[in-house]
């Protein structure tokens, strides 16, 4: 379920009752499109999924509470920490926010926002279609990501089944929900990237490396290079 599912249901319900209104002619067409270009690989770098999962086995909880994966779900997901990494295990809901494109716009996602918490080096919003990024919860009494060294551009490794994908922290979500990544991240991991019906309830492990940053934030190549170095150091230490 999409983390904004309750609000989405309200929007869709209202759309059924209200007269239809068409967007300006310049808006993106609501027609099927070819998928956006995927990141170069879903087994990136030389550190495998098994090694990363072994390094984050168990949990030393650093959050002061637990998160829900979706609206209405039980709060049972802790944020864990070990030297060199902050991590959690959750589902994956699709974030399409940021710079509008063929697949991420207000037609494809009724709750689309044309902004992300962090921007590219040129000042433009991030592209959820092209950049693998993860969403961290907004600061709250449960957890304040910045206090754990998590900021915009912090590199993360996403592990789903036998796939490893490097990404960056690119957006901020609700303060009580966790488990969200961009359209590009979902697609690269073999997960349905549709912002309304897509995502997966299967486990995805999110491993963030505090102090490791991709520069510029919009460079996936930079994220892979920095992420592999951090991941190798982390699994060797554990």
């Amino acid at each position: 379920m999409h983390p904004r599912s309750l609000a989405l249901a309200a929007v869709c319900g209202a759309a059924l009752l209200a007269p239809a209104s068409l967007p300006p002619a310049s808006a993106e067409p609501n027609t099927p499109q070819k998928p956006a270009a995927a990141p170069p690989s879903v087994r990136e770098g030389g550190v495998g999924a098994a090694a990363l999962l072994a390094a984050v086995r168990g949990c030393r909880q650093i959050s002061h509470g637990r998160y829900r994966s979706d609206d209405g779900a039980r709060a049972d997901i802790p944020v864990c920490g070990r030297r060199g990494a902050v991590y959690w295990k959750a589902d994956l809901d699709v974030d399409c926010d940021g710079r509008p494109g063929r697949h991420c716009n207000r037609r494809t996602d009724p709750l689309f926002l044309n902004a992300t918490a962090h921007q590219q080096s040129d000042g433009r919003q991030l592209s959820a279609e092209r950049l693998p990024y993860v969403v961290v919860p907004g600061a709250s009494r449960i957890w304040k990501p910045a206090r754990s060294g998590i900021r915009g551009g912090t590199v993360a490794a996403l592990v789903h089944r036998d796939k490893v994908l490097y990404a960056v922290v690119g957006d901020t979500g609700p303060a009580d929900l966790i488990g969200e990544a961009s359209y590009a991240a979902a697609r690269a991991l073999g997960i349905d990237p549709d912002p309304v019906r897509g995502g997966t309830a299967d486990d995805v492990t999110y491993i963030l490396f505090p102090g490791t940053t991709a520069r510029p934030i919009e460079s996936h190549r930079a994220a892979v290079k920095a992420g592999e170095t951090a991941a190798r150091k982390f699994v060797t230490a554990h």
Side-chain angles (χ1 to χ4, degrees), residues 113-182:
L113 296 175
N114 62 355
T116 45
H118 308 287
Q119 288 72 47
Q120 293 187 168
S121 57
D122 61 4
R124 293 193 298 167
Q125 304 300 327
L126 301 179
S127 170
E129 292 184 7
R130 298 188 175 278
L131 180 68
Y133 69 69
V134 299
V135 181
V136 296
S140 70
R141 62 177 181 78
I142 301 176
W143 181 48
K144 294 178 173 59
R147 291 189 178 178
S148 298
I150 306 302
R151 298 175 175 80
T154 294
V155 175
L158 277 64
V159 183
H160 176 56
R161 298 177 179 172
D162 64 341
K163 300 174 182 176
V164 176
L165 175 75
Y166 291 104
V168 293
V169 171
D171 206 0
T172 300
D176 61 340
L177 300 177
I178 204 166
E180 192 173 4
S182 68

Side-chain angles (χ1 to χ4, degrees), residues 58-63 79-88 234 238:
C59 176
R60 182 179 67 83
Q61 184 170 329
I62 62 173
S63 57
V79 174
C80 312
R82 289 188 177 181
R83 178 175 293 183
V86 170
Y87 56 96
W88 58 86
F234 178 64
H238 298 279

